[in-house]
Amino acid sequence: MGSKMSLFPSRIFYFLFLLLHSAHGDVSFSFPEEMKRGSVIGNLAKDLGLEASALSGRKARIDADGSGKRYCDLNVRNGELIVADRIDREGLCDDRASCVLKYEVVLENPLELHRINLHIQDVNDNAPLFKDDLIDLEIRESAVKGARFVIEEAHDADVGQNSVQQYLLKKNDNFVLSVSGNTVELVLDNELDREQKQDINLLLTAFDGGSPRRSGTAVIHVTVLDANDNSPVFSQAVYKGSLPENSPPNTIVINVSASDADEGVNGNVTYDFGHVTEHVKKLFSIDRKVGAIAVVGTVDYESSTSYELRVKAKDGLGLSSYAKVIISITDMNDNAPVINLKSLSNSVAENVSPGTEVGIINVQDRDSEKNGKVRCSIEQNVPFKLVPSIKNYYSLVTTGQLDRELVSDYNITISATDEGSPPLSSSKNVHLSVADINDNPPVFEEQSYSTYVSENNKAGSTLCSVSARDPDWRQNGTVIYSLLPSEVNSAPASSYISVNGDTGVIHAVRSFDYEHLRSFQVHVMARDNGSPPLSSNVSISVFILDVNDNSPQILYPAPEGNSFMTELVPKAAHAGSVVSKVIAVDADSGQNAWLSYHIVKSTDPGLFTIGLHSGEIRTQRDILESDSMKQNLIVAVKDNGQPPLSATCSMYLLISDNLAEVPELKDISYDDKNSKLTSYLIIALVSVSTFFLTFIIIVLGVRFCRRRKPRLLFDGAVAIPGAYLPPNYADVDGTGTLRSTYNYDAYLTTGSRTSDFKFVSSYNDNTLPAGQTLRKSPSDFDEMFGDAEGSTEV
Ligand SMILES: *[C@@H]1O[C@H](CO)[C@@H](O)[C@H](O)[C@H]1NC(C)=O
Ligand SMILES: *[C@@H]1O[C@H](CO)[C@@H](O)[C@H](O)[C@H]1NC(C)=O
Ligand SMILES: *[C@@H]1O[C@H](CO)[C@@H](O)[C@H](O)[C@H]1NC(C)=O
């Protein structure tokens, strides 16, 4: 028992689920015809167990089967079913006993279908009617008492109690009435006598059973004749025939025939319809002579599946009899399916999951059986399919992921084909647009950008532009550029460049200096305007190009106009000896820093040359006794830029083996006003010479001891001229290296008031210390070197 109990709830759930998804419970309403428009038939919501308030939300509506007219409406506010049009039972159902209108109530979300049957009750709004107001009857006077004469019955469009119920014959001398079922007969009660009364008028009234009851009358005009013994007799009481709908006019449906035993006029049978509706009269005709029933109108199975006709056979003298003809119409596949779009989403978001319902369609085929069985399909290759739902309903659902950026609109052709032979089909186009979702980040056209800009650019100049594409729609695809915060040379990147947010054009914010910053990298972000936005980054490398904006800078000899450096050249120097070197650097790079050296002026033009790129000053020939002791060179240093920049300097050379041999120096440095100096100078000279000699001895001693040691240090270093090295002040140490074969001395003067000489050092194992200069005022040197010029920049 415990197990049974546990099964129970799940079964209920299953049952409820069925009910919810497709409730098939029929709801029936019964009400009289001819109700006023707007009259309430019943409360549909209550009968279906639905909340009236949910009706409009679920798009509840009445759906007529086929193209039938809709006679009622649903008030979605309160769920009442109301009369929408005149309902005439006779017009709708003729004389069928039950008249039912069938509709469907459709609810969406979830799709639900309910059938409703409206039983239209008859109201006695039609009176009985005889086919003719005047019925002619010819009766032989020889007719015996009890003879019966069939009178065509009256007809009432109403049904049931409201149809003809009773006949009444006005009292007369000869006839009484006999009614049994449909047959109305006059029964001769009192024999006729033509000689006495040739014409008799009888009043026949037919009553229906309605309340109040209605009636119709006919006058039976009886002409009393001589003799006609036999009525025509049909070969069958009921004739049955079948006819395919849409048969062409004049197609014979059936032949009826009656025979009359009488001869001559009395046996001459003519045929006619008995009581038939106007509608039938338009569809069929009967050949009066041969009794062939033929089609004259268009027979439509969908309007009526069968017809029942009464046929009358009458002999020449008015005796008649009746028979019934039942014509059943067979269905032909003459109605193509009709596709109705019941509901369709305006647009479908591209991120909906596969299987989402986007629309509901309904297919109708008015034909029956196979001719009305419809198959629905989508033939295109689209990510949608039709899922059969309730009865003739299909849900249009997505089958895959949509992507608006690939396909933004779908034009779906739904086709429906019935199973008739030949089958009929129809199709309908459904247009669906895909709504955008911000699912694509902007993508830069390049993986990274680089740009080259010459230094000294104007602030605000355009460097380059970046561009990113975003295929999304409108603001989801609108790209905005911005510079990502970062640092360049420990300053914010935004102080170097800026990005135009709309165009992606990148501008320099300041002028760049190649000598300070050769390249830098920033990141630019492209962001779309969606919410949330999507973005991507790209790196931009800015390379600054050198411009020849720095003149060569002469480090040695000191270029300042008011200081001099004097090189001592030994008298024994041979041709090709290096006696000095001009050392210059250039802050630019490449060609802009490739320096060349030229002697532009010299005391003795044949004595010294300068290495074009090394700056080494060599003797061109051996020194002669006749050569002037004081030699002055003006050297120009030029870079290789476009246009080139240059600098010049003066170099003073003193041909002497010993400073002591230069008495003129005393004169040069002598200051009349300060006689103390002379004695200082002599002391200094003596001590320097002593120190120098001691130093030479020590050095020679050390060298002698280390004879085997290679002297790579100098040879290797001098092989690289300074101008070929990158313009870096640190390289001065290397370029300043002098050849060891010449241990020459520099006499550096300082421009101090107390003029003195300082012997600095012998450079045989290292560099020229730039700082240890001996300064002397230019005027003193002018005295010494005559027309010597100070260092000048050109
Ligand atoms: C959809 O396709 C049909 C036929 O392929 C065409 O007639 C119709 O114009 C199209 N509709 C749209 C909106 O593209
Ligand atoms: C952009 O995408 C969002 C979702 O990401 C969507 O809601 C919105 O409608 C889209 N905008 C447009 C203009 O399509
Ligand atoms: C862009 O760069 C920022 C900062 O470097 C980083 O946080 C972000 O994740 C990057 N975004 C993308 C899409 O690469």
Side-chain angles (χ1 to χ4, degrees):
M1 190 167 163
S3 63
K4 268 184 192 168
M5 289 291 277
S6 66
L7 270 173
F8 188 60
S10 67
R11 270 193 196 167
I12 282 206
F13 179 77
Y14 179 62
F15 183 63
L16 276 178
F17 174 79
L18 274 185
L19 267 182
L20 282 178
H21 191 251
S22 56
H24 289 294
D26 289 11
V27 181
S28 296
F29 294 98
S30 188
F31 59 98
E33 60 173 327
E34 306 286 358
M35 291 220 307
K36 266 202 202 123
R37 252 170 251 207
S39 312
V40 176
I41 297 167
N43 194 311
L44 195 59
K46 209 181 284 171
D47 289 2
L48 291 176
L50 295 165
E51 280 295 326
S53 54
L55 293 178
S56 71
R58 291 185 58 188
K59 296 192 192 163
R61 56 182 182 257
I62 303 281
D63 206 17
D65 231 352
S67 60
K69 202 172 165 187
R70 221 173 57 195
Y71 291 97
C72 64
D73 245 332
L74 180 62
N75 182 342
V76 290
R77 268 167 286 135
N78 52 23
E80 279 174 350
L81 196 62
I82 54 174
V83 175
D85 206 344
R86 179 181 167 221
I87 301 175
D88 175 26
R89 196 206 62 82
E90 288 75 33
L92 290 171
C93 304
D94 265 337
D95 52 359
R96 264 166 283 165
S98 103
C99 183
V100 182
L101 292 176
K102 292 187 177 180
Y103 293 111
E104 277 163 3
V105 182
V106 183
L107 293 129
E108 286 179 22
N109 204 6
L111 187 61
E112 231 177 79
L113 199 65
H114 298 276
R115 247 180 263 141
I116 53 174
N117 297 330
L118 304 181
H119 296 269
I120 314 297
Q121 292 161 357
D122 188 37
V123 163
N124 191 20
D125 51 354
N126 290 285
L129 212 62
F130 287 95
K131 191 187 170 209
D132 302 303
D133 288 342
L134 186 69
I135 303 168
D136 277 317
L137 212 57
E138 290 162 340
I139 301 176
R140 250 180 194 281
E141 59 181 325
S142 58
V144 293
K145 186 180 171 180
R148 290 171 173 261
F149 305 92
V150 178
I151 302 293
E152 189 175 350
E153 77 273 16
H155 205 266
D156 189 323
D158 294 322
V159 293
Q161 275 298 311
N162 295 333
S163 65
V164 178
Q165 296 295 324
Q166 196 188 357
Y167 292 91
L168 216 70
L169 187 67
K170 198 180 172 200
K171 212 169 158 53
N172 63 83
D173 296 336
N174 302 93
F175 294 97
V176 291
L177 198 64
S178 155
V179 179
S180 91
N182 252 349
T183 316
V184 180
E185 288 166 315
L186 285 181
V187 181
L188 191 61
D189 199 32
N190 232 334
E191 282 173 7
L192 302 166
D193 185 0
R194 195 186 68 85
E195 285 67 38
Q196 195 184 40
K197 207 170 187 183
Q198 197 175 347
D199 298 288
I200 304 164
N201 280 325
L202 305 171
L203 186 66
L204 181 63
T205 309
F207 294 96
D208 64 23
S211 139
R213 51 187 214 160
R214 294 169 179 264
S215 62
T217 56
V219 173
I220 305 169
H221 175 82
V222 180
T223 311
V224 184
L225 299 177
D226 276 347
N228 180 17
D229 299 307
N230 295 289
S231 303
V233 176
F234 275 104
S235 59
Q236 287 169 247
V238 176
Y239 293 88
K240 284 185 177 164
S242 90
L243 175 73
E245 60 174 329
N246 305 327
S247 291
N250 300 324
T251 304
I252 305 291
V253 185
I254 202 164
N255 285 297
V256 294
S257 71
S259 53
D260 192 306
D262 292 327
E263 282 180 356
V265 182
N266 293 341
N268 199 357
V269 178
T270 57
Y271 303 93
D272 197 1
F273 287 126
H275 171 84
V276 289
T277 60
E278 286 302 313
H279 180 57
V280 169
K281 269 186 206 158
K282 284 182 190 144
L283 288 182
F284 300 104
S285 70
I286 187 161
D287 187 305
R288 298 188 76 83
K289 283 188 180 145
V290 300
I293 297 175
V295 175
V296 289
T298 308
V299 182
D300 184 13
Y301 176 84
E302 284 72 39
S303 311
S304 186
T305 57
S306 75
Y307 293 93
E308 203 178 295
L309 322 174
R310 267 176 87 72
V311 286
K312 177 169 87 175
K314 187 180 167 187
D315 64 19
L317 291 176
L319 290 183
S320 52
S321 62
Y322 295 85
K324 199 195 259 185
V325 176
I326 297 171
I327 300 170
S328 38
I329 309 298
T330 52
D331 186 39
M332 300 295 286
N333 191 22
D334 60 344
N335 289 286
V338 178
I339 302 171
N340 299 306
L341 203 55
K342 292 292 179 185
S343 166
L344 185 69
S345 312
N346 289 337
S347 60
V348 189
E350 57 179 323
N351 65 347
V352 296
S353 47
T356 305
E357 183 180 87
V358 297
I360 297 170
I361 65 155
N362 171 260
V363 188
Q364 306 275 355
D365 191 310
R366 297 180 58 218
D367 293 320
S368 307
E369 308 278 312
K370 277 197 148 190
N371 294 339
K373 264 215 179 111
V374 181
R375 253 182 251 275
C376 230
S377 63
I378 297 173
E379 265 135 45
Q380 296 135 305
N381 189 14
V382 289
F384 296 96
K385 65 173 178 186
L386 288 173
V387 176
S389 188
I390 316 158
K391 217 178 136 198
N392 296 324
Y393 285 82
Y394 292 83
S395 292
L396 184 62
V397 301
T398 59
T399 58
Q401 209 63 56
L402 304 179
D403 186 357
R404 193 202 65 85
E405 286 71 39
L406 287 178
V407 187
S408 62
D409 288 278
Y410 287 97
N411 188 3
I412 304 166
T413 308
I414 295 170
S415 53
T417 309
D418 64 25
E419 289 180 13
S421 81
L424 294 177
S425 62
S426 63
S427 67
K428 192 171 187 85
N429 283 319
V430 176
H431 184 254
L432 258 182
S433 54
V434 182
D436 189 39
I437 292 293
N438 191 21
D439 56 354
N440 287 286
V443 175
F444 281 98
E445 282 176 349
E446 282 165 43
Q447 299 226 307
S448 65
Y449 292 81
S450 349
T451 178
Y452 296 84
V453 56
S454 292
E455 59 176 328
N456 305 329
N457 57 301
K458 281 202 188 93
S461 58
T462 301
L463 298 184
C464 64
S465 70
V466 295
S467 158
R469 300 244 169 280
D470 188 327
D472 287 323
W473 181 243
R474 296 263 162 88
Q475 67 255 39
N476 291 342
T478 307
V479 180
I480 301 154
Y481 303 93
S482 62
L483 189 64
L484 281 178
S486 64
E487 287 206 337
V488 174
N489 255 5
S490 63
S494 58
S495 68
Y496 282 83
I497 65 168
S498 68
V499 183
N500 183 315
D502 298 329
T503 62
V505 173
I506 292 175
H507 299 280
V509 169
R510 57 161 80 167
S511 180
F512 299 134
D513 182 3
Y514 175 82
E515 283 71 39
H516 284 101
L517 182 66
R518 295 184 180 188
S519 69
F520 59 92
Q521 201 181 47
V522 293
H523 284 88
V524 167
M525 179 172 75
R527 182 174 59 83
D528 61 29
N529 229 346
S531 105
L534 296 176
S535 66
S536 57
N537 290 347
V538 78
S539 74
I540 296 168
S541 302
V542 178
F543 295 100
I544 298 158
L545 300 175
D546 187 38
V547 164
N548 193 19
D549 59 348
N550 288 285
S551 305
Q553 198 179 349
I554 296 167
L555 301 178
Y556 180 84
E560 291 105 86
N562 59 354
S563 83
F564 295 90
M565 291 190 186
T566 305
E567 295 282 356
L568 201 60
V569 181
K571 278 184 180 151
H574 296 293
S577 306
V578 174
V579 298
S580 186
K581 180 173 169 115
V582 176
I583 300 166
V585 291
D586 192 309
D588 294 320
S589 66
Q591 292 282 335
N592 295 337
W594 192 19
L595 301 180
S596 57
Y597 301 83
H598 309 273
I599 294 174
V600 293
K601 194 170 182 186
S602 62
T603 316
D604 183 346
L607 189 51
F608 298 104
T609 60
I610 191 159
L612 182 61
H613 295 299
S614 66
E616 283 175 346
I617 297 171
R618 293 165 188 268
T619 51
Q620 221 169 344
R621 56 173 172 77
D622 293 350
I623 306 275
L624 302 176
E625 276 302 325
S626 56
D627 286 330
S628 167
M629 192 178 172
K630 295 173 280 177
Q631 295 286 333
N632 179 16
L633 304 177
I634 296 173
V635 176
V637 184
K638 207 163 78 171
D639 64 25
N640 205 21
Q642 275 303 333
L645 296 176
S646 63
T648 59
C649 64
S650 293
M651 172 142 306
Y652 300 95
L653 299 162
L654 201 58
I655 301 174
S656 169
D657 289 334
N658 193 329
L659 272 182
E661 283 179 20
V662 194
E664 293 92 336
L665 273 179
K666 229 189 260 177
D667 303 337
I668 296 165
S669 56
Y670 186 75
D671 189 341
D672 285 333
K673 295 167 200 164
N674 199 342
S675 58
K676 260 199 291 182
L677 272 175
T678 313
S679 49
Y680 287 149
L681 187 61
I682 290 166
I683 293 165
L685 274 173
V686 170
S687 46
V688 163
S689 302
T690 313
F691 179 74
F692 178 67
L693 282 172
T694 317
F695 186 76
I696 292 284
I697 290 161
I698 292 168
V699 166
L700 284 174
V702 168
R703 228 185 239 175
F704 185 75
C705 295
R706 299 185 182 172
R707 186 170 287 251
R708 281 172 233 152
K709 211 176 170 188
R711 292 178 294 180
L712 287 171
L713 185 63
F714 311 113
D715 295 338
V718 170
I720 308 158
Y724 288 95
L725 292 168
N728 192 325
Y729 291 109
D731 291 333
V732 167
D733 284 33
T735 56
T737 306
L738 300 176
R739 209 175 265 280
S740 65
T741 46
Y742 265 94
N743 301 325
Y744 56 90
D745 305 331
Y747 287 89
L748 306 165
T749 59
T750 58
S752 64
R753 275 281 165 212
T754 311
S755 187
D756 59 357
F757 281 85
K758 209 193 278 175
F759 182 79
V760 179
S761 157
S762 172
Y763 309 116
N764 60 347
D765 60 0
N766 216 319
T767 60
L768 176 78
Q772 292 178 343
T773 51
L774 196 65
R775 286 168 189 275
K776 183 87 174 74
S777 73
S779 55
D780 296 341
F781 273 80
D782 286 346
E783 274 172 46
M784 180 180 169
F785 293 100
D787 58 346
E789 288 167 31
S791 144
T792 334
E793 286 200 5
V794 179

CSV table of all heavy atoms in Angstrom, one decimal, residues 20 49 59 78 95 113 138 237 254 347 376 388 470 584 731-732 748 751 782:
chain,number,residue,atom,x,y,z
A,20,LEU,N,-2.2,20.8,-18.9
A,20,LEU,CA,-1.6,22.2,-19.1
A,20,LEU,C,-1.2,22.3,-20.6
A,20,LEU,O,-1.3,23.4,-21.2
A,20,LEU,CB,-0.4,22.4,-18.2
A,20,LEU,CG,-0.8,22.7,-16.8
A,20,LEU,CD1,0.4,22.8,-15.9
A,20,LEU,CD2,-1.6,24.0,-16.7
A,49,GLY,N,-11.6,26.9,-16.4
A,49,GLY,CA,-10.8,26.9,-15.1
A,49,GLY,C,-9.6,27.8,-15.3
A,49,GLY,O,-8.5,27.5,-14.8
A,59,LYS,N,-2.8,36.0,-24.8
A,59,LYS,CA,-3.3,36.2,-26.2
A,59,LYS,C,-4.4,35.2,-26.5
A,59,LYS,O,-4.4,34.6,-27.5
A,59,LYS,CB,-2.2,36.1,-27.2
A,59,LYS,CG,-1.1,37.1,-27.1
A,59,LYS,CD,-0.2,37.1,-28.3
A,59,LYS,CE,1.1,37.9,-28.1
A,59,LYS,NZ,2.1,37.6,-29.1
A,78,ASN,N,-13.1,39.7,-19.0
A,78,ASN,CA,-13.8,38.9,-18.0
A,78,ASN,C,-14.0,37.5,-18.4
A,78,ASN,O,-14.6,36.7,-17.7
A,78,ASN,CB,-15.1,39.6,-17.7
A,78,ASN,CG,-15.9,39.9,-19.0
A,78,ASN,OD1,-15.7,39.2,-20.0
A,78,ASN,ND2,-16.9,40.8,-18.9
A,95,ASP,N,-32.1,22.0,-42.2
A,95,ASP,CA,-33.1,21.3,-41.4
A,95,ASP,C,-32.4,20.2,-40.6
A,95,ASP,O,-33.1,19.3,-40.2
A,95,ASP,CB,-34.2,20.7,-42.3
A,95,ASP,CG,-33.6,19.9,-43.5
A,95,ASP,OD1,-32.3,19.9,-43.5
A,95,ASP,OD2,-34.3,19.4,-44.3
A,113,LEU,N,-4.9,24.6,-26.4
A,113,LEU,CA,-6.0,24.6,-27.3
A,113,LEU,C,-7.2,24.0,-26.6
A,113,LEU,O,-7.1,23.0,-26.0
A,113,LEU,CB,-5.6,23.8,-28.5
A,113,LEU,CG,-6.3,24.0,-29.8
A,113,LEU,CD1,-6.1,25.4,-30.3
A,113,LEU,CD2,-5.8,23.0,-30.8
A,138,GLU,N,-56.9,17.2,-59.6
A,138,GLU,CA,-58.0,16.8,-60.5
A,138,GLU,C,-58.5,15.4,-60.1
A,138,GLU,O,-57.7,14.5,-60.1
A,138,GLU,CB,-57.5,16.9,-62.0
A,138,GLU,CG,-57.2,18.3,-62.4
A,138,GLU,CD,-56.3,18.4,-63.7
A,138,GLU,OE1,-55.6,17.4,-63.9
A,138,GLU,OE2,-56.4,19.4,-64.3
A,237,ALA,N,-38.4,3.7,-53.8
A,237,ALA,CA,-38.9,4.7,-52.8
A,237,ALA,C,-37.8,5.7,-52.6
A,237,ALA,O,-38.0,6.9,-52.4
A,237,ALA,CB,-39.4,4.1,-51.5
A,254,ILE,N,-28.3,11.0,-61.3
A,254,ILE,CA,-29.2,9.8,-61.1
A,254,ILE,C,-30.4,10.0,-62.0
A,254,ILE,O,-30.8,11.1,-62.4
A,254,ILE,CB,-29.5,9.7,-59.6
A,254,ILE,CG1,-29.9,8.2,-59.3
A,254,ILE,CG2,-30.6,10.7,-59.2
A,254,ILE,CD1,-29.9,8.0,-57.8
A,347,SER,N,11.5,40.3,-33.2
A,347,SER,CA,12.9,40.0,-33.5
A,347,SER,C,13.4,39.0,-32.4
A,347,SER,O,12.9,39.0,-31.3
A,347,SER,CB,13.7,41.3,-33.5
A,347,SER,OG,13.7,41.9,-32.3
A,376,CYS,N,3.9,20.0,-43.0
A,376,CYS,CA,4.4,21.4,-43.0
A,376,CYS,C,5.9,21.3,-42.9
A,376,CYS,O,6.4,20.5,-42.2
A,376,CYS,CB,3.9,22.1,-41.8
A,376,CYS,SG,3.2,23.6,-42.1
A,388,PRO,N,5.7,20.1,-34.5
A,388,PRO,CA,4.3,19.9,-34.4
A,388,PRO,C,3.8,20.1,-33.0
A,388,PRO,O,4.4,19.6,-32.1
A,388,PRO,CB,4.0,18.5,-34.9
A,388,PRO,CG,5.3,18.1,-35.6
A,388,PRO,CD,6.4,18.9,-35.0
A,470,ASP,N,34.2,46.8,-35.1
A,470,ASP,CA,33.3,46.1,-34.2
A,470,ASP,C,32.1,45.8,-35.1
A,470,ASP,O,31.4,46.8,-35.4
A,470,ASP,CB,33.0,46.9,-33.0
A,470,ASP,CG,32.2,46.1,-32.0
A,470,ASP,OD1,31.4,45.2,-32.4
A,470,ASP,OD2,32.4,46.3,-30.8
A,584,ALA,N,86.7,64.5,-30.5
A,584,ALA,CA,85.4,65.2,-30.5
A,584,ALA,C,84.3,64.1,-30.5
A,584,ALA,O,84.5,62.9,-30.8
A,584,ALA,CB,85.3,66.0,-31.8
A,731,ASP,N,82.7,56.7,-24.1
A,731,ASP,CA,83.7,56.2,-25.0
A,731,ASP,C,85.0,57.1,-25.0
A,731,ASP,O,85.9,56.7,-25.6
A,731,ASP,CB,83.1,56.1,-26.4
A,731,ASP,CG,82.1,55.0,-26.4
A,731,ASP,OD1,82.2,54.1,-25.6
A,731,ASP,OD2,81.2,55.1,-27.3
A,732,VAL,N,84.9,58.2,-24.5
A,732,VAL,CA,86.0,59.1,-24.5
A,732,VAL,C,87.3,58.4,-24.0
A,732,VAL,O,88.3,58.6,-24.6
A,732,VAL,CB,85.7,60.4,-23.7
A,732,VAL,CG1,87.0,61.2,-23.6
A,732,VAL,CG2,84.7,61.2,-24.5
A,748,LEU,N,100.0,71.8,-19.7
A,748,LEU,CA,98.7,72.4,-19.6
A,748,LEU,C,98.7,73.7,-18.7
A,748,LEU,O,99.3,73.7,-17.7
A,748,LEU,CB,97.7,71.4,-19.0
A,748,LEU,CG,97.7,70.1,-19.7
A,748,LEU,CD1,97.1,69.0,-18.8
A,748,LEU,CD2,97.0,70.2,-21.0
A,751,GLY,N,94.4,79.2,-16.4
A,751,GLY,CA,94.2,80.6,-16.6
A,751,GLY,C,94.3,81.4,-15.3
A,751,GLY,O,93.7,82.5,-15.2
A,782,ASP,N,98.5,84.4,-27.0
A,782,ASP,CA,98.7,85.2,-28.2
A,782,ASP,C,100.2,85.7,-28.3
A,782,ASP,O,100.8,85.7,-29.3
A,782,ASP,CB,97.8,86.4,-28.2
A,782,ASP,CG,96.3,86.0,-28.5
A,782,ASP,OD1,96.2,84.8,-28.9
A,782,ASP,OD2,95.4,86.8,-28.2
